[in-house]
Every structure is written in structure tokens, then in C-alpha cells.
Amino acid sequence: GTAVSAYTSTQPYTFFNLYISNSAGLNINSPMSVESLFQPATPCIVNVNSDVTLKSLPARTAFVGIIQPGAVINYTGSNAFIVERYIKTQRKWQLLAVPTDNTGQTVLSSWAEGQANGVPGTAGLGTLITGPVATGSGLDAVSLLYSLKYWDASVGTAGAYKFVTRKDTVVNPQQGYFL
């Protein structure tokens, strides 16, 4: 089309695929979610004026497709893509990385979904962070070992695992974490 399209809604809508084919662009003015593919298909400008959540479900995780030459995604204010990651609850370490430029994001605001210590949130969202210390220490519950760790190559000559001991710990976007 020749006019910029606008997505505005009083209720957040979930798209399975969002394929943007209007070469004039799209203004995203209300929160939305995508379950599979977010794809600016032609050279266009996408203005993200509200949060876009890339959903993660047991069967699939949403993703942003190849950004075509000439396509641009602009952000206004604090609006951004929110990327979810479904993790099966098996007793194994899962390696998580957060390649983001949000330098103030904490374990609490990301993986714990903002839930207060010891308070389970919405079923299927967030995770509890535990460790061998009493509650009130910034963790959700007591466990034999810490449930979140990372590798610190600067320790000694070979490096060592370090444990996350509080949910207000800032997530380092250059670091991988084991949950």
C-alpha cells in the first residue's frame, strides 16, 4: 500500500504469523504477541510504539524472520520486543543467554517474571530461583544447591562456576547462565 498501516487494539491480540507486506510500513500502537513468525516482508519501516511479545510454547518459539534490505525497525520510549523461552521442567541444566542491550535487566525482571520472593506467578511463566540459604535472602526457596549459575573465566587460571545468590542480580548480556 501507499499509506502506513496501524495496529491499535483495546485488547492484546496474538498473531500466529505476522507478515508485514505493506511497503509503506506499520505502526504498532498496542501490545501484541506473535506465536511463530514476525516478518517485515518488503522494504518498510516498522515503528514499535508498544511491546511485541515473541511467545514460546512447548511446540514452538516465535522468531523474527530475515530483515529484508531497506526494512527498518524503530523503537520509541521503553517499548521493545519481549522474548519468551519455554523450558521443559526436566532436572538438567539449561544454558540461557540474553543478547540484549538492556543493561539494567535483572533475574527478577526477566526469568522470574517480576514475582516477589517465594510467590509463584502465573502457571507456565517465570521460574523460581533457589539456594542453600534462608528465604528473605533474595531467593524464592531453600534448596541443596543454587539453581542459577554462570561461568567466570577470570577466576584463577582455569575459571570457575559462580552462583547467582539474589534475584536482583543484573543479567550480563555478555554472559551465559545455567538454570
Side-chain angles (χ1 to χ4, degrees):
T2 58
V4 175
S5 296
Y7 166 78
T8 304
S9 177
T10 57
Q11 297 290 324
Y13 187 78
T14 299
F15 296 90
F16 183 76
N17 289 323
L18 182 59
Y19 193 77
I20 304 165
S21 59
N22 182 354
S23 60
L26 173 66
N27 290 332
I28 300 173
N29 299 322
S30 300
M32 71 165 57
S33 297
V34 178
E35 286 189 358
S36 186
L37 172 67
F38 180 94
Q39 176 68 64
T42 60
C44 66
I45 297 174
V46 178
N47 294 307
V48 179
N49 303 320
S50 191
D51 291 336
V52 176
T53 301
L54 299 177
K55 303 292 285 178
S56 185
L57 306 166
R60 70 187 157 277
T61 296
F63 64 99
V64 176
I66 297 171
I67 306 297
Q68 302 297 319
V72 176
I73 298 176
N74 293 319
Y75 301 95
T76 60
S78 63
N79 299 302
F81 282 93
I82 298 169
V83 181
E84 295 181 351
R85 183 66 185 134
Y86 178 84
I87 300 172
K88 292 183 180 183
T89 55
Q90 296 176 352
R91 298 206 178 258
K92 323 177 188 182
W93 290 104
Q94 302 286 329
L95 178 60
L96 304 176
V98 185
T100 178
D101 64 357
N102 183 352
T103 56
Q105 191 172 32
T106 64
V107 171
L108 174 63
S109 65
S110 57
W111 296 315
E113 295 281 339
Q115 295 299 315
N117 295 343
V119 177
T122 304
L125 294 177
T127 188
L128 297 176
I129 307 298
T130 65
V133 292
T135 56
S137 64
L139 299 176
D140 291 307
V142 176
S143 61
L144 183 60
L145 297 173
Y146 288 98
S147 63
L148 186 60
K149 65 183 178 179
Y150 62 95
W151 183 257
D152 186 347
S154 69
V155 175
T157 57
Y161 284 110
K162 289 215 165 167
F163 298 104
V164 174
T165 59
R166 299 185 57 81
K167 289 194 320 187
D168 59 3
T169 300
V170 174
V171 176
N172 179 348
Q174 306 294 318
Q175 184 79 51
Y177 293 82
F178 291 92
L179 176 66

